[in-house]
Amino acid sequence: MRGIMPAMPAVTRSAETVADVLVVASSRLAGVLTLQTLLLGGLAAALLGLAWLCVRRFTSAGRRGQAGDTADRALIGQLNESLQRSEARFRSLMGLSSDWYWEQDAEFRFVEVIGKPPAAMAVLENLLLGKRRWEAPVVGMSETDWAAHRALLARHAPFRDLEYGLRLPDSERLFHVRISGEPIIDEAGRFQGYRGIGTDITARREAEAQLRKLSTAVEQSPVSILITDVHGAIEYVNPRFCQTTGYAAAEVLGRNPRILKSGAASEATYRELWTTITDGREWAGELHNRKKNGDLFWESVRIIPLLSAHGEVMNYMAVKEDITLRKEMTAREQLRQEQMLHHARLAAMGEMAAALAHELNQPLAAIANFSGVLEHQLTASPADPTQMREVARTITGQALRAGEIVWRVRAFTRKHETRRMPTDVNALIREVAPLADLAAKSRGVIHDYDLAPDLPRVTIDRVQIEQVLLNLIRNGVEAMEDVAGERRLRLISRLTDNGSAVQISVCDRGHGLADRVLADLFTPFVTTKPDGMGMGLSISRDIVEAHGGRLWVAGDEDGGGTTFRFTLPVKAGEE
Ligand code: ADP
């Protein structure tokens, strides 16, 4: 590698030559150093001083004649030493600096690169030495950029802060550099090449790229992002915020986010919000806000305090999502479900009313018959009080049975508000099963109760789970309508293996599931029955899932027919 200084002049050279060398060397340094640091600039100034001193001494020594020769040699020796020290200092400083010095010949080929830590230096030397800048594997400069740069070089003009990337051999990594240079013109005014300083800006570029990525993510985020200072003054909003609220960024910068307040949330909510975030904790909740045009909207909001390295709150960032539509849809879906439930119950009630007439007919007919018997006995003589009491008891029994039927139907149809209570599932099954029979208009079905004792109570909306059981039992009973032989329906309750839920199974011995409904059994309006609505299973699954459970068809495990099974979590509040 060539030195920054020209080769050391022989002691025999004239002092003018030495002085010239020093002037050139120091001006070279100065050229570099103005680009580099003031510190190195000082070193260059010292060299210039030395040159001046040399010229002066030589002139006076010439005048003194031969006697001055020894003194001159000593002086030149000192100057040589000083020059070497300066060169060593320069190299050491360049080595410490994150920058490097480069030099090109008149053909723009790199002849020298000094400085930088050894590893990067090796890369630079390998990539650049002997090549023109645009011959190295560079990126980030277009053809036009290069053409403009080369035109500038052709004019021998200085240039500053040219930035480009060097692709490292066998690596995807880019080494980003920023260079400044100026032409080297010799004493005769001839162009000798270029020299200058290069700076490694890779870390800065990578940080910039990272920042760009992050800021693009924030800018293009599908959620609103708002950043305030510690006093709540807005410092940044992303485009989605502007889209959602109708405010332009300039309209909100410096203002407090309370401009969005609709007044719907209580002061306590805001107090709690501020206490949480000033404490350095995250706050999450839903706020009802107002757009610029006055429209109200719901937002799901997360406010995150941005902390400094010392843990102090620097800013607050709110990440907000407009959930107005979702809220409306949830409300609509809830309404739709309630309406479906209502219709299903009405349909069930209609069917039950017909069955009720039939069912009541029996005890009423019995009452009428036995009343006739009683009347007959009253007029007979001798009257038989024991027999009459027996008949009266039968009449009472029938009347009570009729009353019970009416009471159950009334209980089922009474106005209902959603309310979850700890409930004994076994008792519920025993109560609902006979009602389901009524609804299915089917007679002669034997109920087998296989109910696990000591089941924990489950927190459920009793009427909704009644509805599920009613649907499943009625389906089971109806599936057995045309089946020859014993019509048996098993109702099983169990605690699941891990004890987290109660599992209820309704097993019939009916005709099994028709192939055409298998695929979408739980889809609304899928039915094989001429007067079916196809809503029962869909509603039942919705209800069970709303309780945190699962409803599925378990096939014909019970020896033919179909088994429907559902779970209800034991722990309350699992939605
Ligand atoms: P619907 O009873 O009004 O038809 P559901 O949603 O309750 O509506 O049932 C949908 C269909 O699923 C029924 O029409 C029937 O074909 C089938 N299905 C339901 N339960 C059973 C069962 N236990 N055995 C056989 N098929 C059944």
Side-chain angles (χ1 to χ4, degrees):
M1 196 196 285
R2 257 176 60 186
I4 177 85
M5 308 298 165
M8 234 39 217
V11 194
T12 47
R13 271 205 203 167
S14 73
E16 281 105 329
T17 318
V18 177
D20 282 351
V21 167
L22 284 172
V23 171
V24 169
S26 56
S27 70
R28 271 173 70 176
L29 265 179
V32 174
L33 299 172
T34 45
L35 296 166
Q36 176 68 332
T37 62
L38 275 177
L39 178 64
L40 289 176
L43 178 61
L47 273 175
L48 265 174
L50 270 172
W52 176 80
L53 189 68
C54 177
V55 173
R56 217 185 60 141
R57 288 269 173 102
F58 166 73
T59 318
S60 57
R63 269 188 243 114
R64 277 185 281 136
Q66 268 321 85
D69 270 6
T70 323
D72 285 345
R73 269 199 292 277
L75 178 63
I76 288 169
Q78 276 172 17
L79 286 174
N80 259 340
E81 248 174 60
S82 153
L83 202 52
Q84 271 166 358
R85 270 203 307 279
S86 293
E87 165 119 17
R89 235 179 275 153
F90 169 77
R91 281 178 183 283
S92 133
L93 281 170
M94 284 312 290
L96 285 175
S97 159
S98 57
D99 298 346
W100 62 91
Y101 169 83
W102 55 267
E103 208 171 289
Q104 288 172 341
D105 62 15
E107 300 297 313
F108 307 107
R109 282 196 187 83
F110 281 95
V111 287
E112 189 156 41
V113 188
I114 304 175
K116 281 295 295 171
M121 202 61 221
V123 173
L124 275 174
E125 282 176 7
N126 286 341
L127 287 178
L128 297 177
L129 274 187
K131 291 199 187 86
R132 295 175 177 93
R133 197 180 296 285
W134 50 92
E135 289 170 354
V138 296
V139 291
M141 290 266 287
S142 65
E143 285 298 320
T144 330
D145 292 341
W146 277 123
H149 181 64
R150 287 171 68 172
L152 183 142
L153 297 182
R155 291 199 309 274
H156 304 157
F159 62 91
R160 292 198 74 106
D161 299 335
L162 178 74
E163 294 188 3
Y164 64 89
L166 280 161
R167 191 169 293 289
L168 303 184
D170 308 325
S171 162
E172 276 303 295
R173 270 204 81 196
L174 280 179
F175 182 39
H176 293 277
V177 302
R178 184 180 59 219
I179 47 152
S180 299
E182 61 174 27
I184 307 170
I185 310 291
D186 69 9
E187 308 87 87
R190 286 185 302 262
F191 171 71
Q192 295 296 327
Y194 262 89
R195 66 179 161 227
I197 281 289
T199 307
D200 179 359
I201 54 164
T202 312
R204 197 198 78 198
R205 276 298 180 89
E206 285 177 355
E208 277 171 5
Q210 192 71 10
L211 262 179
R212 243 194 323 277
K213 229 183 283 169
L214 289 176
S215 75
T216 311
V218 170
E219 286 279 306
Q220 296 181 0
S221 163
V223 294
S224 296
I225 293 176
L226 173 150
I227 297 176
T228 72
D229 65 13
V230 276
H231 308 294
I234 299 175
E235 288 185 346
Y236 170 83
V237 288
N238 73 344
R240 176 45 76 102
F241 171 92
C242 301
Q243 255 173 31
T244 309
T245 61
Y247 283 106
E251 290 176 292
V252 295
L253 293 185
R255 298 175 72 184
N256 190 292
R258 75 170 69 94
I259 52 169
L260 300 173
K261 262 186 179 179
S262 70
S266 68
E267 278 311 310
T269 306
Y270 288 101
R271 251 199 315 279
E272 190 240 335
L273 183 162
W274 274 103
T275 322
T276 311
I277 61 172
T278 45
D279 243 28
R281 286 176 293 129
E282 191 179 312
W283 184 87
E286 288 180 0
L287 292 177
H288 201 206
N289 281 338
R290 190 186 296 280
K291 299 184 183 190
K292 187 182 173 187
N293 66 4
D295 286 356
L296 297 174
F297 67 111
W298 276 100
E299 282 193 308
S300 158
V301 182
R302 272 194 120 70
I303 303 180
I304 304 152
L306 304 178
L307 305 180
S308 72
H310 308 295
E312 292 153 1
V313 176
M314 308 274 291
N315 290 90
Y316 296 111
M317 177 170 78
V319 181
K320 303 157 8 126
E321 197 182 353
D322 186 344
I323 51 164
T324 317
L325 210 65
R326 202 196 304 161
K327 262 191 150 6
E328 279 172 10
M329 273 171 61
T330 314
R332 263 207 300 274
E333 178 60 19
Q334 215 166 346
L335 191 70
R336 190 187 70 89
Q337 279 207 9
E338 273 165 21
Q339 279 169 348
M340 270 182 4
L341 260 175
H342 180 64
H343 286 143
R345 288 173 75 78
L346 278 183
M349 273 161 51
E351 288 169 21
M352 239 184 306
L356 186 65
H358 179 268
E359 194 76 359
L360 283 176
N361 232 7
Q362 269 182 17
L364 288 177
I367 290 169
N369 277 341
F370 283 109
S371 299
V373 172
L374 192 60
E375 197 181 345
H376 180 73
Q377 284 185 350
L378 279 170
T379 51
S381 61
D384 181 349
T386 319
Q387 218 178 17
M388 284 190 328
R389 236 189 328 269
E390 194 54 39
V391 174
R393 234 181 252 128
T394 310
I395 292 172
T396 311
Q398 290 297 318
L400 284 177
R401 196 179 141 214
E404 195 181 330
I405 292 168
V406 172
W407 180 86
R408 277 195 199 157
V409 174
R410 264 199 64 202
F412 177 73
T413 55
R414 77 174 171 257
K415 197 169 175 289
H416 166 69
E417 283 160 21
T418 303
R419 210 172 36 219
R420 292 193 183 173
M421 309 251 280
T423 307
D424 174 355
V425 173
N426 287 345
L428 189 73
I429 293 172
R430 284 187 188 279
E431 271 176 46
V432 174
L435 273 175
D437 271 357
L438 265 183
K441 292 179 276 185
S442 178
R443 303 291 151 272
V445 172
I446 302 162
H447 290 170
D448 280 343
Y449 295 98
D450 177 2
L451 309 178
D454 304 325
L455 278 182
R457 287 168 164 259
V458 285
T459 304
I460 52 170
D461 182 315
R462 189 191 163 89
V463 177
Q464 287 189 347
I465 300 302
E466 264 177 14
Q467 177 82 50
V468 174
L469 276 167
L470 207 62
N471 286 334
L472 298 183
I473 298 172
R474 193 186 58 181
N475 277 344
V477 170
E478 283 175 0
M480 294 190 287
E481 217 146 57
D482 304 324
V483 170
E486 204 175 44
R487 296 194 225 152
R488 212 170 256 282
L489 192 86
R490 277 184 79 203
L491 295 154
I492 311 169
S493 69
R494 293 279 182 275
L495 193 62
T496 53
D497 289 344
N498 59 9
S500 66
V502 168
Q503 180 180 288
I504 296 145
S505 308
V506 179
C507 323
D508 64 62
R509 293 191 182 176
H511 49 61
L513 291 165
D515 286 344
R516 67 189 168 95
V517 293
L518 264 180
D520 31 29
L521 201 54
F522 295 95
T523 311
F525 310 115
V526 170
T527 180
T528 52
K529 301 170 192 168
D531 55 350
M533 287 199 356
M535 295 301 300
L537 289 177
S538 144
I539 291 174
S540 301
R541 178 173 268 189
D542 283 354
I543 293 175
V544 170
E545 286 178 357
H547 279 77
R550 214 159 62 79
L551 167 66
W552 70 102
V553 57
D556 58 354
E557 343 180 312
D558 206 37
T562 313
T563 296
F564 278 91
R565 195 160 278 168
F566 66 98
T567 53
L568 295 169
V570 172
K571 237 171 85 201
E574 282 187 32
E575 293 280 325

